[in-house]
Amino acid sequence: MSTSSESGTVLVALDAVPDQGFHSVEALLKNGDAETLVLYRDGAQVRAWLNVCPHAGRAMDWAPGQFLKSREGYLVCAVHGASFELEGGLCVAGPCKGDSLRAIPVQVRDGQVLLSPEA
């Protein structure tokens, strides 16, 4: 269960996200929509994107919460193989090359990953 405060909504404990790996969470965004997010952890930093490939608007996981990572270190959409770099979510190969995943602002505080209030 997520908790809310002025600094953001707690999504998950940082330790639940594997370092250099992915984790899926549900989040209620500011516009009132419940969305599935892909979290990627790089040490103490976490980045988040909507779990929606810009190519066909489908979820990118091959099974719920299970994501593919290429040898080159890209997030790979399981549907059509689009590859996204993990710094900003830019598609570097595949059917939506040049498009980007929709970033969702998150922050890490006190061992928790929080959805930023502006999300």
Side-chain angles (χ1 to χ4, degrees), residues 91-113:
C91 183
V92 295
C96 55
K97 187 174 182 178
D99 287 341
S100 292
L101 298 173
R102 182 172 160 215
I104 301 298
V106 295
Q107 51 192 277
V108 177
R109 184 176 300 130
D110 300 325
Q112 303 289 322
V113 179

Side-chain angles (χ1 to χ4, degrees), residues 23-106:
H23 188 79
S24 177
V25 295
E26 293 291 318
L28 186 61
L29 302 183
K30 184 170 71 172
N31 63 7
D33 291 340
E35 298 283 355
T36 303
L37 307 182
V38 179
L39 303 179
Y40 174 72
R41 178 178 174 188
D42 185 4
Q45 251 191 339
V46 175
R47 294 178 192 89
W49 300 280
L50 288 183
N51 183 14
V52 177
C53 181
H55 168 238
R58 298 189 47 193
M60 296 185 297
D61 40 359
W62 59 270
Q66 302 296 310
F67 298 92
L68 300 172
K69 188 175 182 184
S70 71
R71 286 189 192 130
E72 299 80 16
Y74 299 127
L75 169 60
V76 178
C77 177
V79 180
H80 296 111
S83 297
F84 300 89
E85 56 85 15
L86 298 172
E87 186 67 32
L90 177 68
C91 183
V92 295
C96 55
K97 187 174 182 178
D99 287 341
S100 292
L101 298 173
R102 182 172 160 215
I104 301 298
V106 295

